[in-house]
Amino acid sequence: MAKRTLRPLRPAMTSAGRARTVPPRREGVALQRLWVGAVCLTAVALTAAVSLPSGGGPAQTSLTKDQLIPTAAIPTASPQVLAAQTDAWLRLGGAHLTAHFTAEVLAVITALQDKSALTDRGFATTRIRPHCVALEHLAADAAAYFPVPNPLTQQRWTKPQTRSKHAGVDCRRAITDGKFTLFAKAMRTFLNIGETTPALLDTIKSEAASAESRP
């Protein structure tokens, strides 16, 4: 397959490709809208055989993880208790984690909409790599925080954290070594995470909704 002609390195920032900061309360809607546009603009490009040219933590609380997670076996919580626990999970730091995670994924997807993301190593270094590193660290922050009360939802929440951590490592190494295949693999992972995250956030919010509606 013919390779693209690589353009010379140029200043990485363009008005069209500037990453946006997404308010925590609108992260699900914003991610869904951006995902639709991002797929159209990047899916074909990520399959091209080209090469890259040379060239903070959850909110603090007074509760410890051990206090929040009893070591003794406990019966399955009632829907009312589960709702109250999920509401607490969001208020004590979960909302911060989900908003930060969403913002970093959005930043990667937004940067991918610029053609330079796949042809300009300088652009990838300055506009994408920092978010890859941030997503590596976020996985550790999420693991340090107590789990989502619903075990099934916790499994769904853990999966994108693990995947984003591995993709972040691949992204960083690919940019450093100029390996496009590895870079494209990492970007596809982030795009897939962007597709599935809004539904996950909606699930967490709905599980806490009954607690918020109580008098």
Side-chain angles (χ1 to χ4, degrees):
M1 182 180 295
K3 293 187 177 182
R4 300 178 186 176
T5 301
L6 300 178
R7 295 183 292 170
L9 294 178
R10 59 177 177 76
M13 298 297 291
T14 64
S15 59
R18 183 172 294 116
R20 297 178 294 172
T21 300
V22 180
R25 294 183 180 179
R26 298 190 302 156
E27 70 270 13
V29 175
L31 190 57
Q32 288 173 318
R33 291 175 178 173
L34 185 54
W35 159 248
V36 174
V39 170
C40 295
L41 292 171
T42 62
V44 175
L46 282 172
T47 62
V50 300
S51 300
L52 292 173
S54 299
Q60 298 296 318
T61 74
S62 59
L63 299 176
T64 66
K65 187 175 181 180
D66 289 339
Q67 289 173 321
L68 290 165
I69 308 175
T71 55
I74 57 176
T76 302
S78 68
Q80 294 77 15
V81 171
L82 184 64
Q85 291 174 335
T86 305
D87 182 64
W89 185 90
L90 287 169
R91 293 178 184 277
L92 294 174
H96 170 84
L97 281 172
T98 57
H100 192 182
F101 178 74
T102 301
E104 296 297 344
V105 173
L106 274 173
V108 173
I109 295 175
T110 300
L112 284 174
Q113 296 183 61
D114 192 302
K115 293 183 294 184
S116 299
L118 303 178
T119 60
D120 189 331
R121 191 172 177 181
F123 181 96
T125 299
T126 58
R127 290 290 309 282
I128 297 178
R129 187 181 186 279
H131 303 294
C132 293
V133 173
L135 285 162
E136 286 185 64
H137 295 161
L138 264 171
D141 292 340
Y145 189 53
F146 69 98
V148 181
N150 186 328
L152 294 179
T153 306
Q154 170 60 23
Q155 291 178 11
R156 292 177 61 192
W157 170 240
T158 299
K159 185 175 180 180
Q161 305 306 316
T162 301
R163 296 183 67 206
S164 67
K165 179 180 180 179
H166 292 317
V169 172
D170 287 343
C171 164
R172 177 167 48 80
R173 291 176 178 172
I175 293 173
T176 299
D177 299 336
K179 295 181 178 179
F180 178 79
T181 300
L182 186 61
F183 179 76
K185 175 186 175 183
M187 296 305 102
R188 290 191 188 97
T189 298
F190 286 131
L191 286 170
N192 181 258
I193 290 172
E195 181 182 25
T196 58
T197 296
L200 170 60
L201 298 181
D202 287 344
T203 296
I204 295 174
K205 290 176 182 177
S206 67
E207 289 176 353
S210 59
E212 296 176 351
S213 63
R214 291 201 310 268

